[in-house]
Amino acid sequence: MTKKTLQWSGYEWIVKSGARKTGPGPNYFAGENAWVDRDGRLHLMITKHKNKWRCAEVTLSETLGYGTYRFWLEGRPDRMDLNGVLGLFTYDGSSPEHHHREIDIEFARWGNPGGHNAQYVVQPYSIPGHLHSFPMKLNGNCSTHTFKWTPGSIRFMSLHGHYTDLPSPLEWFKIQDWEYTGDIPDRKEEKVGINLWLMDGKAPAEGMEIVVDRFEFQPLTCQVGIYIRK
């Protein structure tokens, strides 16, 4: 069976789909729930079809490795349904080392109306110090979320607005940042992914849609086998 692919932000992405439930969730995933509009923006949707809620996921077809991963969101992930989850992440499905090299930026309330609605994670989340959760309230429809992955640290940051370079003064635009310096996963066959799914496959109050305006990657400079932070 031929896999559906999308061309977006200068990369090829594989679209997840199937007739059976699969993780995360587990959930049903539909190929038509991920698409690119005429302005080059990626749309991810959760829709109901024949009494089944179907989610969306795309995965980059290539491995990028150390560097800065940047996602420009358009919409309000701070107002997600109680059962909805938006994930921006890396995952190595070919190898279980370092918990599949999973690094996550996630927006979800995990069914708790009074809980935080955003978190940064270096898996496994259950180990103290691997998860940083926070309340997020956007002041508009545009936000930028990044993580910079180096051999010595993973630095997460979320900003109001869309930026490639950090705005100034940074404190006016910064939503949250966090640096993890624990057990840093090495690079191997991990690939970046974006998904919109339902916690435990539980139904939302209504359908959902998130737009990702752009994805950017800046590789870490390497000289004589030593990675230099930029």
Side-chain angles (χ1 to χ4, degrees):
M1 181 178 177
T2 303
K3 293 182 178 179
K4 177 183 175 180
T5 60
L6 296 175
Q7 297 296 322
W8 173 64
S9 286
Y11 296 94
E12 179 184 70
W13 302 79
I14 299 170
V15 181
K16 190 173 189 175
S17 63
R20 297 181 179 180
K21 281 190 173 183
T22 185
N27 285 284
Y28 296 104
F29 287 84
E32 58 266 35
N33 281 15
W35 54 283
V36 177
D37 66 25
R38 65 179 63 186
D39 295 319
R41 303 178 305 169
L42 174 68
H43 293 247
L44 300 177
M45 304 176 66
I46 295 178
T47 59
K48 193 174 185 179
H49 178 72
K50 295 183 179 179
N51 294 319
K52 293 179 180 179
W53 287 100
R54 304 191 300 174
C55 303
E57 179 175 308
V58 298
T59 303
L60 198 64
S61 62
E62 61 185 280
T63 297
L64 300 177
Y66 296 129
T68 300
Y69 295 73
R70 184 176 297 111
F71 307 83
W72 291 20
L73 299 187
E74 189 171 325
R76 298 300 300 266
D78 56 330
R79 297 176 178 175
M80 296 276 286
D81 183 277
L82 286 181
N83 295 326
V85 184
L86 172 64
L88 318 171
F89 61 95
T90 59
Y91 188 83
D92 185 353
S94 68
S95 175
E97 287 87 8
H98 290 285
H99 295 269
H100 295 281
R101 296 170 177 83
E102 185 174 353
I103 302 167
D104 298 300
I105 301 175
E106 294 178 312
F107 307 98
R109 292 192 183 275
W110 308 108
N112 181 4
H116 288 174
N117 60 355
Q119 62 185 30
Y120 305 140
V121 188
V122 180
Q123 296 293 343
Y125 71 89
S126 56
I127 295 179
H130 280 238
L131 183 150
H132 176 74
S133 68
F134 56 95
M136 182 179 71
K137 183 177 181 181
L138 298 178
N139 60 17
N141 286 329
C142 297
S143 58
T144 304
H145 306 273
T146 69
F147 59 86
K148 184 175 183 179
W149 177 24
T150 76
S153 70
I154 302 171
R155 178 71 180 269
F156 297 84
M157 184 175 293
S158 295
L159 301 167
H160 297 287
H162 286 165
Y163 309 96
T164 294
D165 299 318
L166 291 178
S168 181
L170 180 60
E171 293 303 317
W172 289 7
F173 302 91
K174 186 170 66 176
I175 301 168
Q176 189 77 195
D177 69 340
W178 181 60
E179 186 172 22
Y180 173 82
T181 57
D183 184 17
I184 306 296
D186 60 354
R187 57 167 300 180
K188 194 173 181 182
E189 298 297 329
E190 74 291 331
K191 295 178 174 61
V192 66
I194 307 171
N195 56 20
L196 183 64
W197 53 283
L198 296 168
M199 179 191 69
D200 298 327
K202 296 180 179 178
E206 58 184 4
M208 303 167 58
E209 182 175 11
I210 287 290
V211 177
V212 191
D213 191 82
R214 185 187 305 177
F215 167 75
E216 296 178 335
F217 175 73
Q218 293 177 320
L220 204 62
T221 301
C222 181
Q223 297 180 352
V224 197
I226 300 175
Y227 284 94
I228 308 299
R229 297 185 187 186
K230 282 190 171 183

